[in-house]
Amino acid sequence: DMQNAGVDIHMFGTLVKDRKGGNTPKPPRPMLAMERVRFVGEGVAVMERNQLSVTSCLEIPGNVDFNSGNVRLEYGSIKIKGSIQAGFAVSAPLHISVEGSIESASVKAGGMVSVSGGILMPEGGKVIAGSEVCANYAVNADIQAGGDVTIANEISNSIIRTKGKLVAVSGK
């Protein structure tokens, strides 16, 4: 019964339990058809070094572009080691952290959006955050935030809507 099980895995439509009948799932080996595995719980399934795990934060090692495609999470946060390229969309119910820039993309977070580089949107796009937005600069940006918006340097030709404060640390 799914209601009474803590952490169970459904394999090919069948509930898998350990040999002792406990709540610890022991998937059969070898697991060849990963696209047919369903974990019942909250988080992001990640396959790394032939090991399946569930985490609350999906890490993308490079850019969000044609290689990764659009990124949409139902649970957790996203950490992007590169930039979000023009025309792509990223959404998460919690936070989105971008180590590069957001370039004419659509970004939506239930929590905070943090950008180490800048928000540059000459070809459209929008950043929506349930709480704060932090970035190094904003050029032609369209930002909507439920909390404060903090821009470390330049804000130029941008539309910023915030329920908190707009903080321009330095620059123009």
Side-chain angles (χ1 to χ4, degrees):
D1 180 356
M2 288 299 301
Q3 302 295 359
N4 297 328
V7 181
D8 290 323
I9 295 178
H10 279 262
M11 298 284 296
F12 314 110
T14 306
L15 186 63
V16 176
K17 291 196 173 210
D18 67 13
R19 291 184 183 147
K20 297 174 186 166
N23 287 356
T24 306
K26 302 273 187 202
R29 303 232 186 251
M31 283 177 49
L32 300 174
M34 290 305 297
E35 70 277 358
R36 296 179 70 186
V37 175
R38 190 176 97 199
F39 176 79
V40 180
E42 291 185 1
V44 180
V46 176
M47 179 63 98
E48 190 172 31
R49 292 185 205 103
N50 290 329
Q51 189 169 24
L52 180 65
S53 64
V54 177
T55 179
S56 62
C57 184
L58 173 66
E59 187 170 301
I60 298 176
N63 294 331
V64 173
D65 56 15
F66 288 107
N67 291 321
S68 67
N70 295 323
V71 180
R72 184 180 138 275
L73 291 186
E74 292 182 25
Y75 304 103
S77 299
I78 302 172
K79 181 175 184 176
I80 300 164
K81 296 285 204 167
S83 296
I84 303 173
Q85 300 294 314
F88 288 89
V90 175
S91 67
L94 294 179
H95 311 296
I96 297 174
S97 171
V98 182
E99 290 187 6
S101 298
I102 298 174
E103 304 167 4
S104 298
S106 193
V107 177
K108 184 174 183 181
M112 179 178 183
V113 174
S114 173
V115 186
S116 296
I119 302 172
L120 177 63
M121 299 186 161
E123 301 167 20
K126 188 169 191 170
V127 173
I128 300 172
S131 62
E132 303 90 45
V133 173
C134 299
N136 193 27
Y137 61 88
V139 177
N140 297 320
D142 188 351
I143 300 171
Q144 180 180 324
D148 295 348
V149 175
T150 304
I151 307 296
N153 291 299
E154 175 185 6
I155 300 172
S156 172
N157 197 33
S158 297
I159 298 170
I160 300 175
R161 295 175 212 83
T162 178
K163 291 184 179 177
K165 295 181 272 184
L166 173 59
V167 180
V169 179
S170 67
K172 302 178 188 180

